[in-house]
Amino acid sequence: MTALEILREDRVLTVVRADTIPDAADLCHAIAAGGIRTVELTFTTPGVLDHVRRCADAVSAAGILLGLGTVMTGDQAAAAIDAGARFLVTPGLRPDVAAVAVANGIPVFLGALTPTEVAAAVDLGSAAVKIFPAGSVGPKYLSDLHGPYPEVELLPSGGITAENARTYLDSGALAVCAGTGVVPPAAVAAGDWSDITSRARTFVDALTD
C-alpha cells in the first residue's frame, strides 16, 4: 500500500517528538498495536537517523510506514531516505527537500498554511500538504481551503487531540497528525509501550465515535 492509501484507511499518523527513544522498533510496534500504522520520527530527536537505520526494515515488514519529519535540507532528505525513511515531512515549504524526495520516488508532505503556500507545495510535488499549525486556524480552515483546492489532500498538524480530531476529518482532512497525546515524551523515554498502545487506541476510537 502507498503512504496515502494507508493514511486514507487509518486517518491518522503519529508524530514522535522525544529527546530519548530507547527502542524505536518497539515504539513503532506499540503505536501500530493501537491502530496507527504511520509513524513520523523527527530530526529534533538526537541520533534519529540511527534509530531509523536500526528498525526501518523490521517495521516495514510488519506493515508499519516509518518516515522522518522536520526535514529542512536536501542533505537531510537524502540521509533520511538512505536510512530507510519511507516518507518525509517538513514544517514549511522546503524546495530542496521536495526535489530530493520526488527524485527518489518518496512521498513528501510539505508544510504550508496560506492558500499561496498550499499551491506552492502542490507545485513542488507534495503528495499531501501538511497544514501547520492547524490548531491556530481550526477545522473550518480546511473546508475553506478545499473551496479553491478540492483535490488537494490536506494533513492538519499541531493541536490535534482525540477530542477534536474528528472535526478535522469531517472538514475534509485526509488524516490528522497525532502528537504528544499519543506519544508523550516521558512515556517514550520510559519505554511505557502499553501506555502508548492504549493512547493510540483511544485516539483511533475517537475518530469513529
Side-chain angles (χ1 to χ4, degrees), residues 21 44 62-63 69 72 80 111 119 129 142 156 161 174-175 185-186 191 196 200:
I21 301 176
T44 57
M72 300 298 290
V129 180
L142 271 67
T161 66
L174 164 71
I196 288 172

Side-chain angles (χ1 to χ4, degrees), residues 113 131-139 141-142 156-161 164 168 177:
L113 185 61
I131 302 301
F132 176 81
S136 297
V137 292
Y141 188 66
L142 271 67
S157 178
I160 311 294
T161 66
N164 64 22
Y168 284 92
C177 297

Side-chain angles (χ1 to χ4, degrees), residues 1-10 37 63 65 86:
M1 294 179 70
T2 68
L4 289 185
E5 287 170 341
I6 292 174
L7 286 175
R8 193 168 285 113
E9 281 195 5
D10 292 359
R37 293 177 290 172
L65 193 69
R86 294 184 60 198

Side-chain angles (χ1 to χ4, degrees), residues 112-123 129 131 141-155 171-174:
L113 185 61
T114 68
T116 299
E117 291 171 348
V118 170
V122 172
D123 290 344
V129 180
I131 302 301
Y141 188 66
L142 271 67
S143 58
D144 290 342
L145 285 174
H146 269 147
Y149 304 127
E151 303 302 321
V152 177
E153 302 282 15
L154 301 177
L155 188 62
S171 295
L174 164 71

Side-chain angles (χ1 to χ4, degrees), residues 2-208:
T2 68
L4 289 185
E5 287 170 341
I6 292 174
L7 286 175
R8 193 168 285 113
E9 281 195 5
D10 292 359
R11 310 304 303 275
V12 56
L13 68 82
T14 300
V15 182
V16 180
R17 290 197 182 278
D19 290 334
T20 302
I21 301 176
D23 190 307
D26 286 349
L27 170 62
C28 289
H29 289 300
I31 294 167
I36 303 175
R37 293 177 290 172
T38 307
V39 179
E40 174 192 335
L41 303 185
T42 70
F43 269 101
T44 57
T45 296
V48 70
L49 289 172
D50 291 333
H51 288 303
V52 175
R53 287 189 195 96
R54 283 194 292 266
C55 75
D57 289 343
V59 300
S60 179
I64 299 166
L65 193 69
L66 177 62
L68 261 172
T70 320
V71 187
M72 300 298 290
T73 68
D75 286 346
Q76 284 185 329
I81 294 169
D82 287 344
R86 294 184 60 198
F87 65 92
L88 304 179
V89 186
T90 70
L93 294 174
R94 308 302 295 175
D96 290 348
V97 173
V100 171
V102 171
N104 285 275
I106 297 293
V108 61
F109 307 137
L110 296 173
L113 185 61
T114 68
T116 299
E117 291 171 348
V118 170
V122 172
D123 290 344
L124 289 168
S126 195
V129 180
K130 185 178 85 167
I131 302 301
F132 176 81
S136 297
V137 292
K140 185 179 183 300
Y141 188 66
L142 271 67
S143 58
D144 290 342
L145 285 174
H146 269 147
Y149 304 127
E151 303 302 321
V152 177
E153 302 282 15
L154 301 177
L155 188 62
S157 178
I160 311 294
T161 66
E163 290 72 31
N164 64 22
R166 179 62 184 269
T167 61
Y168 284 92
L169 297 177
D170 291 344
S171 295
L174 164 71
V176 295
C177 297
T180 55
V182 171
V183 281
V188 174
D192 193 347
W193 310 134
S194 61
D195 178 61
I196 288 172
T197 296
S198 177
R199 288 172 177 273
R201 187 173 296 117
T202 297
F203 195 101
V204 170
D205 287 347
L207 301 181
T208 56

